[in-house]
Amino acid sequence: MTVARTWSVALSGLRGDLVEVEADVSSQTPEFAIIGLPDKALGEAGRRVRNACANRGLDLPKRRITVNLSPASLPKRGSGFDVAIAIAALATSGRMDADRIARTVHVGELGLDGRLRPVPGVLPAVVAARGAGHTRVVVPAANAAEAALVEGVEVFAGACLAEVVRWHGGVCDAAPLAPVQGAIVDEPDDVPLELSDVVGQADAVDALVVAAAGGHHLLMSGPPGAGKTMLARRLPGILPPLDDEASLSVASVRSLAGETVTRLSRTPPFESPHHGASAAALIGGGSGVIRPGAIARASEGVLFLDEGGEFPAAVLDALRQPLESGVIQVHRSGVAATYPARFQLVVATNPCPCGQYGVPGGACECAPQAIRRYTRRLSGPLLDRIDIDVRLQRVSAARREGGSRPVTTGRARETVAEARARAARRWAGTPWHRNADVPGTWLRGPAAPSTEVLRPLDAALRRGALTLRGYDRLLRVAWTVADIAGHDTLLADDVGRALYLRRGTAS
């Protein structure tokens, strides 16, 4: 009897593990058995393979077929193994090129008529195949564009199983596969929103530029109509473009979420979940296959929580761990997945449920208990992880007509790029490039400024107005202020500016 072997990929979050698919036949009653920790969807692959082969006129052995997925200890989920199982089972007859089959990774689901159906996660699967040393992958035609985004891998796309069989040397009435060409890697993105549209909020615009320059988290509070959402949506436009690795990571998360990926975008992602979203929608979840939530989809970009006071406290507190670690771990019964969570958090909230508390000329009708309950949705530990706190007021006629010339998106982007370049030079030789990533032990150790410069922070720490985590975050913001100002060392004015930007949580 002939044992045929090929390859597929098992995904757990963004991590992909190569799975060897072995097929063997025996002279027993016709049966199709799949072993190696398959889930229910994968366990049903035998029926799909038999019907697909019959409807495409492909001769599947009419004996007992045993398919082993190795390593057997690794859980396998989903229908993306169908094509690999079908090819391995058909190859037991010895009528195809066994060497080519053994050097090819197959990803895709089969329809009962033999069509190759698209599956989510093809992009990270191809990345995993490349990382394991494979250079040839077969995918469904609908997934061809995203698979071709991975350099160094020859991608072949098919519309039906018969095309894959013919390409492997089998005899059938179908055209062989052809390599996929012309993947779009750097298609120009949409024109970013213009920052100069924001008028009368000079302090808030400055805070937004500081947040972008250092990668800091931002809280904006103020009445409705003050421009909080308008400012937040302009943050991605002033952030530096994504590099190749970050672009591929963003596209891989989109692929796992089931979105159609046809190009690598250089614009940082922007996610804005509704305040009615559950904790599972934020961190990710699902039955069997864990899908990424808003936190993972915002990685390398911005997670914007509009109406932050309306989010349930439990949902907001789910942000605390990923804000510190930069990853989000999702655990379900018998399965776990890890996704990146390197995002900038921007929270916009009103001062009270009606939005009029403390507003000049406003009439707040909220009860004191309602105001306290509303403001306490943002817990102390979460606020302690936010670097910049900006209080906005409605724009009056005088502020709209007067003031300095508005900052444009282009100018702000240049300022951010120059500040980040200065920070990268300072932290050269370390694992960090942005001020927001530098640990406190380094800021208070090798990079510590003079005692005179640190005096205001030390005083706030002694009074209990500042935690040690807040102390470190203020130092990070101060370094970003210094980078924007062009200072090579940290000055007292830089620390004072950082305290001003964090006045909502430091006072």
Side-chain angles (χ1 to χ4, degrees):
M1 298 299 177
T2 301
V3 177
R5 296 178 175 86
T6 189
W7 298 89
S8 193
V9 181
L11 291 173
S12 177
L14 283 189
R15 175 187 171 185
D17 293 291
L18 268 291
V19 173
E20 188 178 28
V21 181
E22 303 174 295
D24 188 22
V25 294
S26 59
S27 56
Q28 298 182 16
T29 304
E31 186 182 353
F32 208 114
I34 300 176
I35 59 177
L37 285 184
D39 70 346
K40 182 174 178 57
L42 181 50
E44 296 170 345
R47 299 181 184 179
R48 292 192 293 272
V49 169
R50 282 201 179 277
N51 284 70
C53 291
N55 290 324
R56 286 292 174 177
L58 303 173
D59 295 328
L60 194 68
K62 294 180 175 60
R63 289 178 288 179
R64 177 183 175 87
I65 301 175
T66 302
V67 175
N68 179 45
L69 307 176
S70 179
S73 59
L74 178 71
K76 295 91 180 174
R77 300 174 181 83
S79 56
F81 295 84
D82 286 4
V83 176
I85 291 172
I87 292 299
L90 289 166
T92 57
S93 64
R95 299 172 185 172
M96 291 190 286
D97 187 340
D99 183 62
R100 172 180 281 190
I101 291 173
R103 290 186 290 109
T104 304
V105 178
H106 299 82
V107 179
E109 178 185 334
L110 284 176
L112 296 182
D113 57 356
R115 286 180 297 167
L116 267 62
R117 298 182 181 274
V119 292
V122 163
L123 182 56
V126 177
V127 171
R130 182 184 65 179
H134 290 270
T135 58
R136 182 182 296 147
V137 179
V138 172
V139 300
N143 293 125
E146 67 176 280
L149 293 172
V150 183
E151 296 181 355
V153 178
E154 193 176 14
V155 176
F156 293 84
C160 71
L161 180 61
E163 295 177 0
V164 184
V165 171
R166 174 70 183 279
W167 182 69
H168 282 305
V171 179
C172 61
D173 185 17
L177 303 178
V180 178
Q181 303 289 343
I184 301 174
V185 178
D186 284 310
E187 182 180 280
D189 293 314
D190 296 334
V191 177
L193 297 174
E194 182 52 58
L195 188 59
S196 61
D197 293 341
V198 181
V199 296
Q201 297 288 8
D203 283 349
V205 171
D206 288 345
L208 194 73
V209 173
V210 173
H216 304 293
H217 306 307
L218 173 66
L219 169 65
M220 295 183 289
S221 58
K228 303 184 295 294
T229 303
M230 193 176 185
L231 281 160
R233 292 191 177 278
R234 280 149 178 79
L235 179 56
I238 65 176
L239 291 173
L242 302 178
D243 58 21
D244 293 341
E245 182 180 355
S247 296
L248 193 60
S249 175
V250 170
S252 295
V253 171
R254 300 285 180 185
S255 176
L256 282 168
E259 299 182 23
T260 300
V261 178
T262 59
R263 64 187 179 92
L264 296 183
S265 173
R266 301 298 180 181
T267 301
F270 182 87
E271 286 290 324
S272 181
H274 188 266
H275 58 258
S278 64
L282 204 63
I283 66 176
S287 177
V289 179
I290 298 178
R291 300 293 182 216
I295 288 176
R297 295 196 303 272
S299 187
E300 307 294 347
V302 178
L303 177 64
F304 176 47
L305 303 185
D306 201 3
E307 303 296 343
E310 299 291 343
F311 280 83
V315 174
L316 293 173
D317 285 339
L319 295 167
R320 288 156 57 178
Q321 181 267 334
L323 282 174
E324 286 294 317
S325 64
V327 296
I328 178 70
Q329 295 178 324
V330 187
H331 296 270
R332 293 294 181 268
S333 178
V335 59
T338 301
Y339 292 106
R342 297 181 296 270
F343 60 90
Q344 272 188 259
L345 177 65
V346 178
V347 182
T349 184
N350 294 328
C352 68
C354 75
Q356 302 301 316
Y357 179 71
V359 178
C364 177
E365 299 179 354
C366 302
Q369 289 184 345
I371 297 174
R372 285 195 297 271
R373 186 165 53 248
Y374 187 83
T375 55
R376 286 176 182 172
R377 296 281 181 86
L378 300 175
S379 65
L382 178 60
L383 291 174
D384 204 35
R385 288 167 169 83
I386 293 177
D387 308 321
I388 300 173
D389 184 349
V390 180
R391 307 293 174 88
L392 285 76
Q393 293 293 343
R394 290 195 180 121
V395 179
S396 63
R399 290 171 62 191
R400 180 178 65 84
E401 296 170 0
S404 59
R405 186 177 179 181
V407 178
T408 65
T409 293
R411 179 56 190 150
R413 191 188 298 118
E414 291 175 3
T415 301
V416 169
E418 292 169 1
R420 290 209 176 192
R422 183 178 291 274
R425 289 193 297 271
R426 180 192 312 113
W427 309 121
T430 71
W432 317 293
H433 303 284
R434 304 182 310 171
N435 293 323
D437 301 327
V438 182
T441 52
W442 190 274
L443 293 169
R444 289 177 272 108
S450 66
T451 304
E452 183 67 25
V453 171
L454 290 177
R455 183 169 295 156
L457 300 185
D458 292 335
L461 189 64
R462 285 193 298 270
R463 293 197 311 269
L466 198 63
T467 65
L468 190 58
R469 180 190 287 122
Y471 186 103
D472 294 340
R473 291 193 175 279
L474 274 167
L475 279 177
R476 296 183 184 111
V477 175
W479 274 116
T480 302
V481 172
D483 290 333
I484 292 175
H487 300 158
D488 293 327
T489 59
L490 204 60
L491 305 180
D493 288 346
D494 302 324
V495 174
R497 178 64 178 168
L499 281 166
Y500 176 76
L501 289 171
R502 193 181 162 86
R503 64 186 182 275
T505 54
S507 59

